[in-house]
Amino acid sequence: MLHLLVADGNDRSGRADHVSATGVTSAEAYAEVLRQISPGVDCTLITPADADAALSPGTRLAGFDALFLTGSTLHVCDASDAVRRQIDLVREALGAGLPVFGSCWGVQVAAVVAGGHAARAPKGPEYGFSRDLVRTEAGRAHPLLAGRGERFDAPAMHLDAVITPPAHATVLAGNAVLSVQAIEIRHGAGVFWGTQYHPELDLDALAAMLRLSAEDVVEAGALPDRAAVEAYAADLCRIHADPEGHRDRIARHRLGPDLLEPARRRAEIGNFLDRLVRPRVEAAA
């Protein structure tokens, strides 16, 4: 059995908003996806943004096989204690040689830990989907992207991004909006694999995130008004519940197998567990 540590990237306010929108925290949703991908894994959830997080530094990593970071409403360029605590956690994990995976927020935190720079994405946010992602030359052979085509789409919800990758990083995929969409970062004894997009988000969860961020989505010009956000989110929920019954909506929103098939949408998470975490655990047994 794999023992996985799942760190919720949100502070208390962000977690409350996420629960209001979806019924669960980001960490709870992420852990459920991990259990679906790999039945039998044991997930421990922590809230490192909080000063009173249950697992204290120096002991919180003992007995775990990997660390996962969820998305977050925080901004890694802010010098807040909630941000610093998460940077410290990832620094500690990589220093201890623990494999780390992160989506969106997690990528930005890992990049900062390793000497890169993350800030507001210069070409604007991606709300809904990252379109036309392209593997780099290194990404074509990298196990993180096994099962992905040369070009693919993925769920996305972000304002910030990695602007300058760390020196010892390998960029694996990008698109016209952002050059760093998938990355490997080696730092200290540890290895980080991650994506700026969200392979863990099902379409109904993505719909909830769009509703939660409706004001930002409209302000960015991704959709014209809140009614359009609601209509789009409702379509995603219908498709999630009954894809065969909504082929017209699937075509209208240009949703291919990369977005509709859970195994393909979540490929990076499964690859991380199968290609990086399990071999390390088996070698240590």
Side-chain angles (χ1 to χ4, degrees), residues 9-12 48-51 72-89 91 105 109 112 160:
N10 289 298
D11 59 11
R12 283 187 171 84
D50 300 349
S72 178
T73 58
L74 299 174
H75 301 282
V76 74
C77 53
D78 293 342
S80 69
D81 288 341
V83 171
R84 177 187 52 77
R85 292 185 192 103
Q86 299 190 66
I87 291 172
D88 290 345
L89 171 66
R91 181 179 291 113
W105 165 255
V109 171
V112 169
D160 299 340

Side-chain angles (χ1 to χ4, degrees), residues 49-276:
D50 300 349
D52 57 349
L55 298 179
S56 61
T59 62
R60 57 187 167 190
L61 302 180
F64 292 105
D65 299 313
L67 169 65
F68 286 82
L69 278 81
T70 76
S72 178
T73 58
L74 299 174
H75 301 282
V76 74
C77 53
D78 293 342
S80 69
D81 288 341
V83 171
R84 177 187 52 77
R85 292 185 192 103
Q86 299 190 66
I87 291 172
D88 290 345
L89 171 66
V90 174
R91 181 179 291 113
E92 179 187 348
L94 292 174
L98 196 67
V100 182
F101 184 93
S103 316
C104 194
W105 165 255
V107 168
Q108 297 159 26
V109 171
V112 169
V113 166
H117 176 60
R120 190 64 57 93
K123 293 186 179 180
E126 290 179 299
Y127 288 124
F129 302 103
S130 289
R131 297 289 190 175
D132 203 24
L133 295 156
V134 181
R135 296 188 191 209
T136 64
E137 184 175 350
R140 293 188 184 103
H142 197 281
L144 175 62
L145 298 180
R148 289 293 195 182
E150 286 297 306
R151 294 175 179 269
F152 58 97
D153 297 335
M157 288 289 297
H158 72 93
L159 280 169
D160 299 340
V162 175
I163 308 303
T164 305
H168 300 293
T170 303
V171 177
L172 305 175
N175 67 357
V177 177
L178 185 63
S179 61
V180 181
Q181 291 277 9
I183 196 169
E184 175 185 272
I185 299 172
R186 293 184 175 269
H187 183 72
V191 180
F192 172 90
W193 288 3
T195 61
Q196 180 57 57
Y197 50 90
H198 284 275
E200 78 280 9
L201 287 184
D202 291 339
L203 295 185
D204 60 339
L206 180 61
M209 294 298 93
L210 286 167
R211 287 171 170 140
L212 186 61
S213 303
E215 184 176 330
D216 293 333
V217 173
V218 172
E219 183 179 345
L223 289 168
D225 51 39
R226 294 182 70 94
V229 175
E230 174 55 36
Y232 189 36
D235 275 357
L236 294 181
C237 289
R238 293 186 185 101
I239 293 166
H240 173 80
D242 180 20
E244 290 300 323
H246 294 284
R247 289 292 164 186
D248 57 335
R249 289 184 169 88
I250 287 172
R252 183 190 316 149
H253 298 303
R254 299 184 295 119
L255 307 184
D258 286 322
L259 299 171
L260 296 171
E261 297 176 11
R264 290 179 65 166
R265 190 173 60 249
R266 301 169 176 176
E268 292 83 355
I269 301 173
N271 290 337
F272 173 77
L273 292 171
D274 292 340
R275 308 293 185 95
L276 187 59

